[in-house]
Amino acid sequence: MIRTISALLAASGLSLASTQAGAEERPWALVLHGGAGVIERADMDADTEAAYRAALSDALALGAAMLESGAPAIDAVEAVIRIMEDEALFNAGRGAVFTSDGRIEHDASIMRASDRQAGAAAGVRGVRHLISLARAVMDESPHVMLQGAGAESFADEQGLERVEESYFFTERRWAAMERQVQSLGLPVPPRPEGAPEPEPVREGSLLEDARSHRFGTVGVVALDRTGELVAGTSTGGTTAKRWGRVGDSPVIGAGTYAGGACGVSATGTGEYFIRLSVAARICARIDLAGEDGQTAADAVIQDELTAMGGDGGVVMIHDGTPLWSFNTSGMYRASQIAGGEPVVAIFDDEG
Ligand code: ASP
């Protein structure tokens, strides 16, 4: 269901900041993703597709309304990601994937282009909105990245909302993790305390999960009317991850980067994105080699990432233009510019 802007804003838990100084003239831009993967029309039923399109439209509409009214890009990125973290369809916040021992450990990061300030948190349990923790690390601490229990106590000091782990529980993600640990020959962990009674999960949705929702991270890049550019990313990581595994999403330069006129948020197999420094690499090609945004993104995703055997993609803004590149058959994505129509797309042959 498409929600009204005021309902979305209220749901994000943030208030609409007043118009910033100097926010009158310049055109804004917004792009977001909800993960990439093997997403085929034939595998997706009409209701599931409609639910994803509505969730992407809602997120886009909230960010567009904020930017149109002159809100700072940092607020728009945080609010849009908070809405997506609350949406169980995505692998971030509620709906995140489970570790092999049945826990939920979130990662997130945020970066602002003008002063290259950044904040990130990794391996965090029980914080409802990890993007707000990443922002607090940037704004309220002298550090760039906090992890685990220390990050959780910092969240408490900052008064961020804590929830029981059962808040994040979804049957579909639990079943996907069970299937994965069984295939690895590992024991199935006990169902988390407070989780609802087991319900049957449609076999088709498990296949969809194994294929299309292997990714499902959310990311947003926003350019506001003052010309400020911000990128942010939030995730539960990968299904049945082990040993405190952390992917690219909280790693500045890998999953998230903003500098100059370039801002990027990535999704895909984090191990490849970290080794290629995907987000920073795209912006560096623009800065150092003078490439345009699409050329730089395609060179890194279609050529370099693909050659390494990695899969996934990015959304980005360069010089005020939203764009994307991915080497999978689909990516949940959406974009809009000031005065333009919303674009919402899933499969690789649209948008
Ligand atoms: N990049 C994320 C990770 O590796 C996963 C994703 O994009 O869904 O943790």
Side-chain angles (χ1 to χ4, degrees):
M1 188 187 69
I2 311 270
R3 290 180 277 172
T4 64
I5 300 301
S6 50
L8 287 165
L9 194 60
S12 83
L14 300 180
S15 55
L16 188 54
S18 55
T19 303
Q20 310 172 85
E24 303 79 30
E25 307 297 340
R26 305 186 45 182
W28 54 266
L30 178 66
V31 65
L32 60 90
H33 70 77
V38 181
I39 308 171
E40 312 274 6
R41 276 198 177 80
D43 290 342
M44 192 178 284
D45 63 48
D47 289 350
T48 307
E49 182 179 334
Y52 273 105
R53 288 189 191 276
L56 293 167
S57 296
D58 277 351
L60 188 73
L62 172 63
M66 292 179 75
L67 294 167
E68 176 66 25
S69 74
I74 190 92
D75 289 350
V77 168
E78 184 183 3
V80 173
I81 291 184
R82 284 170 67 103
I83 284 285
M84 297 179 88
E85 287 174 335
D86 282 351
E87 170 56 69
L89 288 171
F90 300 115
N91 171 21
R94 195 168 155 256
V97 299
F98 286 92
T99 66
S100 62
D101 50 5
R103 307 297 301 266
I104 297 239
E105 295 175 354
H106 290 116
D107 305 328
S109 64
I110 195 162
M111 184 167 186
R112 180 166 59 215
S114 61
D115 53 4
R116 287 193 163 80
Q117 284 291 326
V124 174
R125 294 176 177 168
V127 172
R128 180 172 172 187
H129 292 118
L130 214 67
I131 194 64
S132 296
L133 178 54
R135 181 174 178 181
V137 173
M138 177 173 89
D139 289 344
E140 309 296 339
S141 90
H143 306 300
V144 168
M145 187 189 280
L146 302 181
Q147 58 86 30
E152 290 157 21
S153 46
F154 177 73
D156 290 337
E157 279 175 32
Q158 294 298 313
L160 296 181
E161 184 176 355
R162 299 297 300 269
V163 288
E164 296 297 322
E165 269 189 66
S166 57
Y167 162 81
F168 302 115
F169 185 94
T170 54
E171 199 65 50
R172 186 182 95 174
R173 300 297 194 194
W174 184 259
M177 180 275 297
E178 273 184 327
R179 176 179 278 217
Q180 178 87 8
V181 296
Q182 280 162 348
S183 75
L184 293 169
L186 297 171
V188 173
R191 225 173 144 81
E193 213 173 294
E197 286 303 305
E199 318 163 359
V201 174
R202 201 167 45 84
E203 180 66 11
S205 81
L206 275 178
L207 287 176
E208 266 165 33
D209 248 59
R211 283 154 60 78
S212 68
H213 310 307
R214 194 151 46 104
F215 311 140
T217 295
V218 306
V220 179
V221 186
L223 172 70
D224 70 26
R225 287 188 178 277
T226 69
E228 183 63 272
L229 186 58
V230 173
T233 310
S234 181
T235 190
T238 47
T239 300
K241 62 187 181 181
R242 300 172 77 189
W243 307 300
R245 180 264 185 196
V246 174
D248 60 313
S249 307
V251 178
I252 296 299
T256 302
Y257 188 76
C262 176
V264 178
S265 170
T267 179
T269 324
E271 283 68 13
Y272 293 88
F273 283 68
I274 292 173
R275 285 182 286 149
L276 254 183
S277 301
V278 162
R281 190 175 184 87
I282 292 171
C283 296
R285 291 183 74 111
I286 293 170
D287 285 347
L288 303 176
E291 290 178 355
D292 65 76
Q294 192 70 58
T295 304
D298 287 347
V300 173
I301 299 299
Q302 311 297 338
D303 301 342
E304 295 179 308
L305 179 74
T306 306
M308 281 177 76
D311 50 359
V314 292
V315 297
M316 62 181 285
I317 292 176
H318 173 233
D319 266 350
T321 304
L323 48 103
W324 41 61
S325 184
F326 51 96
N327 68 357
T328 49
S329 58
M331 180 190 232
Y332 300 109
R333 61 200 189 276
S335 71
Q336 194 166 352
I337 55 172
E341 291 297 311
V343 176
V344 174
I346 298 178
F347 307 107
D348 60 359
D349 57 1
E350 359 161 35

